[in-house]
Amino acid sequence: MKHAFMFGTTIFLSEQNTLTYSDGLSNIEFLRVLSFYDDSKGRVLTIDANITSPAGNVIK
């Protein structure tokens, strides 16, 4: 299954349920989809995100 992630006007396609980025030295997991929305099964979209501000503060 392919996953589409939209940020603003940019779309990222992935075979995995995660998005990663590289800081030049290593790949860092940015976002992981834990469950998908399915109204018929009563499921909601659940994600785990690793986001920090430019000052290094964790954003949840």
Side-chain angles (χ1 to χ4, degrees):
M1 172 190 297
K2 288 193 177 183
H3 306 283
F5 298 93
M6 295 175 56
F7 293 96
T9 59
T10 305
I11 298 173
F12 300 92
L13 298 176
S14 174
E15 296 275 338
Q16 307 297 320
N17 64 337
T18 60
L19 282 180
T20 59
Y21 68 92
S22 175
D23 65 0
L25 300 174
S26 60
N27 291 334
I28 300 164
E29 186 176 290
F30 173 85
L31 181 139
R32 177 186 300 257
V33 177
L34 302 175
S35 68
F36 298 95
Y37 175 79
D38 186 339
D39 189 44
S40 66
K41 295 181 181 177
R43 293 173 51 187
V44 297
L45 174 66
T46 307
I47 65 165
D48 185 18
N50 181 14
I51 304 170
T52 56
S53 71
N57 301 318
V58 175
I59 300 171
K60 293 190 179 223

